[in-house]
Amino acid sequence: MKILVLNAGSSSLKYQLFNMEDAKVLAKGLCERIGAGGTVTHKKTGAEPFFEEIDLPDHGVALGRVLNLLSSPEYGVIASVDEIDAVGHRVAHGGEKFKESSRITESVIAYLETIVPINPLHGPPAIAGMKACLSLMPNVPQVAVFDTSFYSEIEDFRYVYPIPYEFYENDQIRRYGFHGTSHRYVSHELARVLGKPIEELKIITCHLGNGSSITAVDGGKAIDTSMGFTPQEGIAMGTRSGSIDPTVVTYLMKTKGYTAQEVEDILNKKSGLLGISGLSNDCRNITEAANNGNARAELALKILTNGIKKHIGAYAAEMNGLDALVFTAGIGENQWNVRARVCEGMSFLGIEIDEEKNLNFERGVPFELTKEGAKVATWIIPTDEEYMIAIDTQRLASK
Ligand code: ADP
């Protein structure tokens, strides 16, 4: 079975074509500047990347170009588009309705259109991607895989905000959680490498990238997570503040005359590692600067790692124990210094990592960091959201 996985952003379209027989990626690529010019970077596995500038007025035209490239004699990996058995779409927000991945129908799209007000950035491009597929490949099953659905079983006392209840009932203001596809993938992958049923494990998964979130997975189900109504809640991120006292927002508006949009931009795009350090949102640069004695870079690292630590403590308490800790995504998979700072002084919980292994870790594969004799298994598990989407798509398309 061949499955095309699509991830549509406001001006971008990422794609990967999987051969599910051997779980290999046949080709992948990225369309950018959709609606404002257009570029395509396409890579057939094992070949040199192909790059072109081409007019891409909308997601439909971009998808058409992707299908051409995938089936072209020169750059392609399939003889014809008919070889694509199903398409899986990454959808950031499934609202309260979607408790799991779902076959895409007109009524699914209609529901997603109703929740655009609470998902204004990611909703419209995802819907555009689905509509483009339905029109270009009307007979191919389409599946939506939601970042929020892993959190659909979280209990109400963990997702209702302590504000007047009518904002939840009437305005859908609640915690939803994001990055669920990544947390779901790495928690299952961890159970697989440990050779234990996930039902028997209490796991904390730390997805640390440009956006970061932490999830408590008890018995295979997410019971709590750090992101909330939007991906803005939680720990400090590359450019996002994470959780702060909400009064900071109104104070800034009242005293500095900022508009709501201006404050949102400050908290979303100018905060986090970038805002604290004044240097960069990239944890590699922050680490280098901190190592060279830059005090604000050091402060940024401390704020980041202390936030992670606090969530680990809280989630171990909520689960009444902890069997395993997972690091994933750009920072989690690559920055040994962040992992070392997070795990330092956590032996009371059973978390202890082997310094040597943490320093000389292997990239791109599940890698164990646990110190001999430690109670909690600590692992790096490379995330693969696209493959998780392909698996769900295969399952639902075959039904
Ligand atoms: P995104 O949320 O955009 O998918 P990533 O998961 O790619 O982000 O993570 C980006 C972060 O990972 C950056 O802060 C970067 O510094 C850090 N990082 C550290 N080492 C690497 C590496 N070798 N490759 C990619 N990102 C890395």
Side-chain angles (χ1 to χ4, degrees):
M1 198 174 200
K2 293 194 178 71
I3 292 183
L4 179 63
V5 173
L6 296 178
N7 181 354
S10 55
S11 63
S12 68
L13 180 69
K14 285 190 207 149
Y15 60 94
Q16 289 197 16
L17 183 67
F18 285 90
N19 179 15
M20 298 308 282
E21 272 70 55
D22 57 5
K24 291 265 157 63
V25 176
L26 298 169
K28 64 178 169 183
L30 168 66
C31 305
E32 290 175 289
R33 296 180 54 216
I34 297 172
T39 61
V40 185
T41 311
H42 170 83
K43 190 167 186 329
K44 172 176 166 173
T45 301
E48 285 298 305
F50 162 79
F51 176 83
E52 65 179 356
E53 284 184 26
I54 180 172
D55 193 28
L56 301 175
D58 57 41
H59 285 78
V61 175
L63 177 67
R65 184 60 190 143
V66 169
L67 296 177
N68 277 340
L69 283 168
L70 287 171
S71 56
S72 86
E74 202 174 350
Y75 306 106
V77 287
I78 47 179
S80 115
V81 171
D82 297 340
E83 283 183 44
I84 298 174
D85 296 293
V87 182
H89 297 255
R90 178 185 182 200
V91 187
H93 211 315
E96 289 210 291
K97 184 178 167 116
F98 290 107
K99 313 238 173 269
E100 51 193 38
S101 303
S102 174
R103 280 283 284 265
I104 296 171
T105 60
E106 293 293 339
S107 76
V108 168
I109 294 179
Y111 173 76
L112 293 176
E113 280 172 338
T114 69
I115 61 164
V116 164
I118 59 166
N119 183 29
L121 289 184
H122 299 112
I127 292 167
M130 291 177 207
K131 286 186 171 167
C133 275
L134 287 177
S135 97
L136 285 172
M137 314 162 82
N139 301 317
V140 178
Q142 313 277 329
V143 171
V145 178
F146 305 98
D147 272 358
T148 48
S149 64
F150 190 43
Y151 304 112
S152 64
E153 293 190 61
I154 286 185
E155 291 185 79
D156 55 1
F157 67 92
R158 292 188 171 109
Y159 71 68
V160 172
Y161 286 114
I163 58 176
Y165 195 71
E166 69 249 29
F167 292 126
Y168 165 55
E169 280 189 307
N170 302 337
D171 303 290
Q172 299 168 292
I173 296 175
R174 50 159 285 180
R175 308 185 66 244
Y176 289 98
F178 295 89
H179 286 151
T181 309
S182 173
H183 290 283
R184 181 158 62 101
Y185 175 79
V186 297
S187 54
H188 279 88
E189 187 63 3
L190 173 85
R192 188 185 70 74
V193 295
L194 290 180
K196 292 193 177 151
I198 197 165
E199 292 73 21
E200 292 173 11
L201 293 171
K202 295 175 193 295
I203 309 169
I204 295 174
T205 49
C206 304
H207 177 112
L208 311 175
N210 256 322
S212 299
S213 63
I214 306 184
T215 295
V217 186
D218 194 350
K221 294 190 168 133
I223 64 125
D224 207 348
T225 193
S226 59
M227 284 179 166
F229 179 56
T230 70
Q232 174 71 27
E233 191 176 337
I235 60 171
M237 311 182 204
T239 61
R240 290 182 212 143
S241 63
S243 300
I244 57 165
D245 181 339
T247 312
V248 172
V249 174
T250 46
Y251 182 80
L252 283 175
M253 293 173 79
K254 285 192 264 186
T255 60
K256 304 241 180 224
Y258 288 135
T259 62
Q261 189 57 52
E262 283 168 340
V263 180
E264 200 173 298
D265 285 347
I266 291 170
L267 298 179
N268 232 320
K269 300 182 183 151
K270 297 179 183 163
S271 296
L273 298 180
L274 173 66
I276 305 159
S277 70
L279 289 175
S280 169
N281 65 314
D282 190 306
C283 198
R284 288 168 285 202
N285 301 338
I286 299 294
T287 297
E288 196 187 337
N291 289 344
N292 290 330
N294 184 302
R296 273 168 55 188
E298 174 64 23
L299 178 64
L301 278 181
K302 280 187 173 154
I303 291 174
L304 168 70
T305 52
N306 191 55
I308 302 168
K309 233 179 216 286
K310 288 209 283 195
H311 278 83
I312 293 172
Y315 292 166
E318 285 193 284
M319 292 192 288
N320 188 22
L322 182 63
D323 298 306
L325 177 66
V326 174
F327 289 100
T328 195
I331 296 173
E333 291 172 33
N334 296 293
Q335 301 269 179
W336 69 266
N337 59 319
V338 170
R339 297 191 300 258
R341 284 173 187 244
V342 169
C343 295
E344 198 189 326
M346 298 280 262
S347 59
F348 80 102
L349 262 183
I351 298 170
E352 289 177 276
I353 59 171
D354 184 311
E355 278 176 36
E356 193 60 33
K357 286 185 194 159
N358 187 41
L359 201 58
N360 299 311
F361 64 100
E362 196 178 338
R363 281 191 165 86
V365 291
F367 188 84
E368 181 161 23
L369 304 171
T370 322
K371 187 171 171 181
E372 215 180 311
K375 197 170 86 30
V376 171
T378 302
W379 283 72
I380 302 169
I381 306 275
T383 193
D384 196 343
E385 288 158 284
E386 286 77 16
Y387 185 55
M388 187 83 252
I389 293 169
I391 291 174
D392 279 10
T393 303
Q394 180 178 35
R395 181 170 46 83
L396 286 166
S398 315
K399 273 193 178 165

